[in-house]
Amino acid sequence: MIRPMEKADMEQILKLWVSCAKQAHPFLAPDWWDQYVEPIRENYTPAMDTAVFEKDGRVAGFIGVAEKRLLGALCVDPALQGQGIGTALLQHMAERFPGLWLWVYEQNENAVRFYTKRGFSLFGRAVNPATGKAELVLKAK
């Protein structure tokens, strides 16, 4: 079931976000993500329109859209990936916010493949100043 994020979901979202980020970005130091837990809790997540996919009473995945249709986060519990949860969350937000776009690390090949299979195309490239890693800007068609 997809529903709006509730305040009580925050701890599950934070844990899931860090877990997914570490798994999807082995090219960054694992502890690199830990510095973002509090900013995600206090600033980033509250500024987004966030929806969760609830399964068996817990958050199995979530998606957040920030200003100007920026897809700021899409995470699915690694144990549940490949079951359509990410696609369902993406479709849910794409219906609400046509013209989504996002930044994704070029080395995160699974994410690049996921988004391109769902109609996103390359819009630009940049280097993330915090990590020095190449990022792609993908935009929904």
Side-chain angles (χ1 to χ4, degrees):
M1 165 181 77
I2 297 175
R3 61 169 175 77
M5 181 190 101
E6 299 170 358
K7 189 174 182 178
D9 297 324
M10 183 60 79
E11 293 309 312
Q12 289 181 72
I13 285 173
L14 289 171
K15 184 177 178 183
L16 187 56
W17 194 323
V18 172
S19 171
C20 289
K22 288 179 179 183
Q23 180 194 34
H25 305 95
F27 47 89
L28 297 174
D31 63 347
W32 191 83
W33 297 101
D34 297 335
Q35 66 184 317
Y36 291 102
V37 171
E38 286 310 309
I40 289 168
R41 176 197 319 274
E42 300 299 324
N43 303 313
Y44 200 65
T45 303
M48 293 191 300
D49 187 325
T50 303
V52 301
F53 190 105
E54 185 178 320
K55 183 175 182 177
D56 300 327
R58 67 180 184 94
V59 175
F62 71 93
I63 187 168
V65 176
E67 290 183 37
K68 301 178 184 175
R69 298 186 174 106
L70 170 63
L71 177 55
L74 174 57
C75 300
V76 175
D77 182 330
L80 300 173
Q81 290 177 1
Q83 298 181 21
I85 294 170
T87 299
L89 286 165
L90 185 60
Q91 288 173 340
H92 174 78
M93 285 304 206
E95 289 171 7
R96 295 183 59 213
F97 302 101
L100 289 173
W101 64 282
L102 60 105
W103 293 90
V104 63
Y105 283 106
E106 190 168 13
Q107 289 177 271
N108 187 349
E109 295 173 359
N110 288 336
V112 173
R113 190 170 34 259
F114 174 85
Y115 291 116
T116 56
K117 283 184 177 181
R118 284 149 187 89
F120 283 74
S121 59
L122 182 64
F123 187 73
R125 286 184 150 76
V127 173
N128 183 301
T131 64
K133 303 292 183 182
E135 289 186 312
L136 304 176
V137 180
L138 303 179
K139 189 173 182 183
K141 295 179 182 177

